[in-house]
Amino acid sequence: MTADHIPHTFQVDLRGLVDLLSHHLYSSPRVYLRELLQNAVDAITARRAEEPDSPTRVRLHVEAGGLRVTDTGIGLTEADVHNLLATIGRSSKRDGLESARAGFLGQFGIGLLACFVVAEEIRVVSRSARDAAAPPVEWTARDDGSYTVRTLPGDAHPEPGTTVHLTARPGAAEWFAEEQVRTLAREFGALLPYDVRVGKDPVTDRPAVWERRYPNPAARRVALARHCHQQFGFTPLDSIDLEVPVAGVRGVAYVLPAAVSPAQRAGHRVHLKGMLLTERAEELLPDWAFFVRCVIDTDSLRPTASRESLYADETLAAVRDALGARIKDWFTGLAAGEPERLAQFLAVHHLGVKSLARHDRDVLTTMLPWLPFETTDGQLSLEEFARRHPVVHFTRTVDEYRQVAAIAAAQGIGVVNGGYTYDAELVELLPSVRPGTDVTELDADTVAAHLDPVDPAEELALSGFLAAARSKLDPLGCDVVLRTFHPVSVPALHLDDRAARQERARAEEEAQADDLWAGILGSLRGSAPRARLVLNHHNPLVRRIARIDDPELAGTAAEALYGQALLMAPRPLRPADSALLNRAFLDLLRWATHSDGQEESR
């Protein structure tokens, strides 16, 4: 073999590796305790695979300047120590010590290195349960990358198992305070299957709260509510049992007591074989289920290398779908048997159900009698509203709805406000689950068609006023028409659909553009209808204004009516509209005070 082809071994800078772990792989030094618990639990699991009656104890003892962790697991021989502890990245779960891999927590072989984030020295004393003749062995490693191995007398570790001693690095003493160790141990290990204690204080709290027996359903609800408050800080509106036996997933979902934004990412608590994996799992549930927070324990979901999140694979996708189906079954069950609880839930979280109903026809059919919508008849379900109105009109924006709601209701037009999230989509889906329902988007022509025309003779008598009004408003892209409608208290209605607004915006851009761009915009000119100011001939003020003989004053009054109608329609005013309002107001003040230009110049 030539010199160019002699194989070389990678050299590892342990200090650099520890820095990588602490700043890039693990989110916090606190994970060192999780890794110690993981190694201890895996060692016990390996031993029980061979000795089912072997003890299952993990003990943590805070010592001066460090921590001692002892387990009754499989233990190590001197060969195991050289092969496993001194080889970075090698895991007993992938090598010869593996007997029941499915029961192991760790898979990556770097967990013990996490301890160097808080420790300057790690000393491991272990005795193998496999080889009764093998003496205890000691492995001592420092954060500079050096280690020593030596055999010890038999009484140094009389029973099979392993003891890990950590010596705190400068500045890391807080992580070895007894209360801190106890808190971290309970947080990470509360659901572990073995007897784990910090000193004499138990860490594990099994069975899980959702798996315990209770004297009655009320007691169970109280216990789950207490658990939710401990884990998430709120008292749930309700709780949902989660179980996917084929994936080894069990747990509970807690329904939030207050509405949250769909964009808010939910953080769920996930335990892997009893060990807390993450408090911030975001991909566990479908996006529409943003109204719940979950705590689950799983045997099958894969952790990432940092063991602080879930690996996105087909198993996670299948579990997500299954958990989503369980939540869907819960509220459809409420619809079938507990309408009061369903109404309480929908009063807070109808947005989440609407999000799901867009894509799930069964949910839409089931929830149709329950989901609330804002309509001209008040808060109603689409089912009830469709029974009242042969044609279901809807608007796509809240502004459009508010502009015409009062007028439409007075004329007997049924309108649903589709401006809220998901509402327009659901209204358009109504015929698919309620055949024969006529759904149409409300436009200005529909509203105008329901307004009664004025007697031709009366309209002819007011032609002078109408001409003055049209002359004033024409530059603003608005026509003026005279109708009679209710309520009488509304003097004028501004009807303006999206097509008209788009055409007006195009015209304004064309007026301000250079010749080339104006030509392009001009080629896009459409035949969209113009906005309309509909004057109510039933209104006494309109009738008095219409009898004004002075064309200038009549035009100013028409501008004032136009401005008032714009203010009634909750839509941002254009600069031209604001200028008109200001001008009309000042002109009416001058007229009311009989002011003239000579008096102002004095």
Side-chain angles (χ1 to χ4, degrees):
M1 181 178 293
T2 64
D4 292 340
H5 293 83
I6 295 176
H8 299 277
T9 302
F10 281 106
Q11 301 298 311
V12 177
D13 179 357
L14 188 58
R15 288 185 184 274
L17 184 58
V18 169
D19 180 72
L20 178 66
L21 292 174
S22 60
H23 292 95
H24 300 284
L25 185 62
Y26 297 120
S27 61
S28 166
R30 64 203 291 269
V31 300
Y32 89 93
L33 195 63
R34 183 193 65 197
E35 300 301 329
L36 288 174
L37 289 176
Q38 171 192 300
N39 287 342
V41 169
D42 283 345
I44 293 174
T45 300
R47 183 176 179 185
R48 285 182 68 82
E50 300 181 9
E51 303 176 36
D53 296 329
S54 61
T56 58
R57 296 188 304 273
V58 180
R59 298 292 184 263
L60 295 87
H61 299 277
V62 174
E63 300 178 323
L67 179 69
R68 181 176 86 252
V69 181
T70 300
D71 67 68
T72 57
I74 194 70
L76 301 171
T77 64
E78 182 176 357
D80 294 331
V81 166
H82 284 288
N83 189 39
L84 300 173
L85 297 186
T87 305
I88 294 173
R90 178 168 294 175
S91 169
S92 64
K93 275 71 75 175
R94 288 198 298 269
D95 294 293
L97 288 178
E98 173 172 30
S99 297
R101 179 169 181 167
F104 289 119
L105 294 170
Q107 299 290 334
F108 297 97
I110 57 175
L112 193 60
L113 290 178
C115 297
F116 279 122
V117 175
V118 295
E120 65 178 4
E121 181 180 276
I122 302 173
R123 184 165 67 92
V124 177
V125 179
S126 186
R127 184 164 194 161
S128 175
R130 284 201 174 108
D131 186 352
V137 60
E138 178 190 73
W139 177 81
T140 303
R142 299 188 60 80
D143 60 1
D144 61 2
S146 63
Y147 73 92
T148 60
V149 179
R150 64 176 180 144
T151 57
L152 302 175
D155 59 358
H157 207 287
E159 300 295 328
T162 300
T163 300
V164 179
H165 302 263
L166 299 186
T167 301
R169 67 168 53 248
E174 63 178 294
W175 296 106
F176 296 96
E178 185 164 356
E179 188 57 34
Q180 177 75 282
V181 171
R182 184 180 295 109
T183 298
L184 292 177
R186 287 175 176 168
E187 180 178 347
F188 287 119
L191 298 184
L192 289 174
Y194 304 136
D195 178 16
V196 182
R197 296 173 184 265
V198 176
K200 296 182 179 180
D201 298 333
V203 167
T204 50
D205 186 21
R206 290 179 64 89
V209 63
W210 56 84
E211 295 176 337
R212 297 174 189 171
R213 293 182 179 274
Y214 297 93
N216 52 63
R220 187 175 192 271
R221 284 196 296 271
V222 170
L224 288 175
R226 185 184 305 114
H227 178 255
C228 176
H229 198 274
Q230 292 170 348
Q231 300 296 318
F232 297 110
F234 65 85
T235 300
L237 190 65
D238 208 340
S239 58
I240 308 166
D241 287 318
L242 302 177
E243 189 170 3
V244 186
V246 69
V249 173
R250 56 268 172 201
V252 61
Y254 294 114
V255 181
L256 290 162
V260 294
S261 168
Q264 181 175 329
R265 303 299 295 177
H268 307 292
R269 294 177 65 91
V270 176
H271 296 257
L272 178 62
K273 301 181 181 72
M275 182 76 76
L276 179 66
L277 181 70
T278 178
E279 303 171 89
R280 301 182 298 276
E282 296 182 349
E283 305 299 329
L284 186 64
L285 294 180
D287 290 342
W288 55 262
F290 54 82
F291 50 84
V292 297
R293 298 293 181 268
C294 295
V295 182
I296 69 163
D297 191 16
T298 175
D299 295 332
S300 62
L301 297 180
R302 292 174 55 195
T304 58
S306 67
R307 294 181 46 77
E308 295 187 316
S309 59
L310 294 171
Y311 189 81
D313 58 10
E314 294 180 356
T315 302
L316 178 59
V319 167
R320 179 166 52 244
D321 291 342
L323 295 180
R326 178 66 194 93
I327 295 172
K328 183 177 70 172
D329 289 344
W330 168 77
F331 59 67
T332 53
L334 292 184
E338 300 183 73
E340 292 184 359
R341 286 178 65 198
L342 177 64
Q344 183 183 17
F345 165 69
L346 289 178
V348 180
H349 296 300
H350 59 273
L351 197 60
V353 180
K354 287 180 176 180
S355 173
L356 175 59
R358 294 178 303 150
H359 307 294
D360 192 311
R361 181 168 176 167
D362 291 339
V363 172
L364 178 59
T365 303
T366 303
M367 293 292 108
L368 201 58
W370 305 100
L371 289 173
F373 288 79
E374 183 179 1
T375 77
T376 47
D377 291 353
Q379 285 284 332
L380 290 177
S381 70
L382 289 182
E383 177 73 24
E384 175 63 23
F385 190 77
R387 283 199 296 265
R388 296 185 183 188
H389 298 277
V391 179
V392 177
H393 295 92
F394 73 97
T395 63
R396 292 195 181 275
T397 69
V398 174
D399 287 347
E400 289 173 349
Y401 175 80
R402 291 175 179 171
Q403 180 183 2
V404 301
I407 306 300
Q411 313 312 311
I413 307 173
V415 185
V416 178
N417 183 357
Y420 296 115
T421 306
Y422 311 131
D423 283 10
E425 295 176 69
L426 293 176
V427 175
E428 290 181 301
L429 288 172
L430 187 57
S432 69
V433 295
R434 197 177 189 276
T437 304
D438 188 1
V439 173
T440 183
E441 184 175 354
L442 185 69
D443 56 23
D445 288 336
T446 302
V447 177
H450 283 77
L451 306 180
D452 296 329
V454 178
D455 180 84
E458 293 186 19
E459 186 168 5
L460 181 62
L462 300 177
S463 59
F465 165 72
L466 293 174
R470 288 166 181 155
S471 176
K472 283 285 187 179
L473 299 182
D474 182 70
L476 297 172
C478 183
D479 293 332
V480 179
V481 296
L482 191 65
R483 295 288 187 272
T484 59
F485 56 87
H486 293 278
V488 174
S489 59
V490 177
L493 174 65
H494 185 261
L495 293 180
D496 189 15
D497 57 23
R498 286 193 304 277
R501 291 195 296 273
Q502 290 171 357
E503 176 62 20
R504 190 165 57 247
R506 186 210 58 77
E508 291 174 356
E509 289 289 338
E510 181 181 357
Q512 299 175 8
D514 56 32
D515 292 342
L516 175 60
W517 187 237
I520 296 174
L521 291 173
S523 67
L524 299 176
R525 183 180 296 113
S527 58
R530 286 153 56 94
R532 277 165 282 182
L533 180 67
V534 183
L535 302 178
N536 186 3
H537 194 247
H538 277 332
N539 182 268
L541 176 61
V542 171
R543 289 202 298 270
R544 285 197 300 271
I545 291 175
R547 291 194 294 268
I548 295 175
D549 294 329
D550 184 345
E552 189 63 28
L553 180 57
T556 299
E559 289 180 327
L561 289 173
Y562 172 80
Q564 188 269 345
L566 286 179
L567 294 175
M568 292 297 293
R571 181 181 297 129
L573 297 178
R574 298 174 297 163
D577 296 330
S578 298
L580 175 143
L581 278 170
N582 185 60
R583 183 176 65 252
F585 176 73
L586 293 177
D587 287 348
L588 288 175
L589 282 178
R590 292 191 186 97
W591 176 82
T593 56
H594 303 286
S595 173
D596 58 34
Q598 293 179 349
E599 291 179 357
E600 291 178 359
S601 63
R602 291 174 186 172

